[in-house]
Structure formats: C-alpha cells, structure tokens
Amino acid sequence: MPTDSQYILERIKQGCVMLSDDEFVIDRLVKYFGNGRIRWHVEFRGHRIELTTSQLKKQPAFRRKILEQAGVLPPQRAGASYRRWALDLRKNAIELPWRDRPVDADFAIDRLTSHGDGRWTVEYQGKSIKFTSIKLRKQVSFRKRMLAKAKVLPPELAPSAYRKWMDWLIHNASEAAPVAGEASMTEKSWLDDLPELAGWQNEAPPQGTS
C-alpha cells in the first residue's frame, strides 16, 4: 500500500487539482468528544471528512484524506507553517458531543455571503436566507429563521460554541459580487421580507367604513 506521500505524488502525475492558499478555505472544523474518543470532522465545500488527531497533525495524511474525499489537493506548506496552521485550526474548532452519531451530522451550511452594511445570506441546500449581523450572531434568531425558511432546525450549541462557529463562518465568508442598484439598497429594503428580525410588525390595514 503506498504511503501518503507516494499516493499524493501519483495523483499529481495524473493531473489532480492542487489548490492555492487562497483557494483552500475550510468551512469549519468540528471536534467531537464522547465514548473515550476524540473525532475531528473537516467541513469543506459540502464534504464532511473525518480525521484522527494524528492525521490532522501530519500534513501528508491530511492532504491525502482531503484528496480522497473532496477530490482536490490542499496546498503544500512548510513543516513549521503547517504545524502552526493545524494548531490554529484545532484551537478554533467547534466542540460537540458525539453520542451515537454527530449531533449536527445533517446540518452544514453551504456558504455564508456578505453583502456589506451588516447584510448576509446563508446558502443552504439551494435556498438563500437573509440575515443581519445582529441576528446572525443570535443563536435563537438563527435557528428560528432557518426553520422558517429552510425547514431545518440547526442543532442547539453551547453559547461559546455557537460564537466560535459563527466567528469562523464570518471570517471565511464570501463577498457578494456587485449588483446594479445594490449600492443604494437600504437596510429597510433588505429587511422587507423579514419584519420579525427587524423588530417590525406588519400592522393590519385600517378597516374601511361602509
């Protein structure tokens, strides 16, 4: 059986796609604990890739796992650079109990996009759900809106875990391409379809007199 490095070299010869540092951005790393074990799941471009602590620490093993399951090869880093990167990744991991299976195994957003001025879009299974910065950072509001608009209830995280996860998403958010007329879009027009998040209530129209 080829070593990790031999496997990678062979795939490079076959023309596998190697990503640059800017192109390889992990959505999040989840640390699952329970039953005396620690499991790590890397979420990347819709893939959920399980690794051991050893595989996460060793660059050839990490690159091979991503290549096998996501079909792309992460960039090669210098040894010390990779160790720092992997350490920072583990420090920012979301910690969740494993139980019989990952508690959030069926929930992973596809992308978070920034539209500027505190406006965001969460993309989930073909749906685009609008948020403001304030409400995006409030777990209750996030779960409520995802349930209303995407018919899915995200797992409830510990407050610190939710903050870490959301900080991670925002740090890695995409920037929306400019759209004609968007520069003049006001906060009110952005929130027209979500009065409950803006704190507005739709008032009943006045009754006409006969």
Side-chain angles (χ1 to χ4, degrees):
M1 184 176 181
T3 65
D4 295 328
S5 296
Q6 290 171 339
Y7 176 85
I8 291 169
L9 287 174
E10 184 60 31
R11 290 295 302 273
I12 289 175
K13 291 177 182 177
Q14 295 172 5
C16 72
V17 176
M18 185 184 304
L19 302 180
S20 67
D21 285 340
D22 293 337
E23 294 173 321
F24 184 67
V25 180
I26 288 175
D27 298 321
R28 67 170 180 166
L29 176 68
V30 184
K31 177 182 179 181
Y32 292 103
F33 57 90
N35 299 326
R37 291 184 57 192
I38 292 177
R39 304 168 178 84
W40 304 87
H41 279 193
V42 168
E43 293 179 8
F44 173 72
R45 295 185 178 180
H47 296 276
R48 181 184 288 262
I49 303 158
E50 183 172 347
L51 300 99
T52 63
T53 303
S54 177
Q55 289 170 330
L56 197 55
K57 288 181 176 180
K58 296 177 181 177
Q59 182 169 204
F62 175 80
R63 297 178 81 211
R64 176 174 182 167
K65 290 286 286 188
I66 300 295
L67 181 57
E68 287 178 332
Q69 297 191 37
V72 294
L73 182 64
Q76 174 76 44
R77 301 171 186 266
S81 175
Y82 179 81
R83 286 192 294 272
R84 287 194 300 271
W85 178 83
L87 181 61
D88 288 341
L89 195 65
R90 296 197 303 276
K91 284 182 178 179
N92 288 289
I94 307 303
E95 296 190 10
L96 296 172
W98 176 269
R99 298 175 186 165
D100 295 328
R101 60 197 293 269
V103 294
D104 67 339
D106 296 325
F107 181 79
I109 73 169
D110 299 319
R111 184 167 63 169
L112 176 67
T113 302
S114 170
H115 298 270
D117 297 328
R119 296 176 289 120
W120 305 84
T121 297
V122 169
E123 295 180 18
Y124 176 80
Q125 296 188 357
K127 297 182 176 65
S128 295
I129 302 100
K130 296 177 180 178
F131 285 91
T132 63
S133 293
I134 293 175
K135 299 303 180 180
L136 190 63
R137 291 183 177 277
K138 291 185 177 180
Q139 183 171 199
V140 172
S141 298
F142 177 78
R143 299 179 79 221
K144 176 182 177 182
R145 184 149 182 82
M146 290 301 297
L147 181 59
K149 295 296 182 180
K151 308 305 180 189
V152 61
L153 183 63
E156 185 173 5
L157 308 179
S160 59
Y162 182 80
R163 285 194 298 272
K164 282 184 180 180
W165 178 59
M166 191 51 63
D167 286 345
W168 181 261
L169 285 179
I170 289 173
H171 178 73
N172 292 289
S174 304
E175 294 290 335
V179 177
E182 183 171 299
S184 61
M185 181 180 288
T186 65
E187 185 75 0
K188 185 178 186 305
S189 65
W190 176 258
L191 293 170
D192 276 347
D193 74 327
L194 40 118
E196 76 281 1
L197 289 189
W200 304 324
Q201 298 297 326
N202 291 328
E203 295 181 0
Q207 298 293 323
T209 57
S210 55

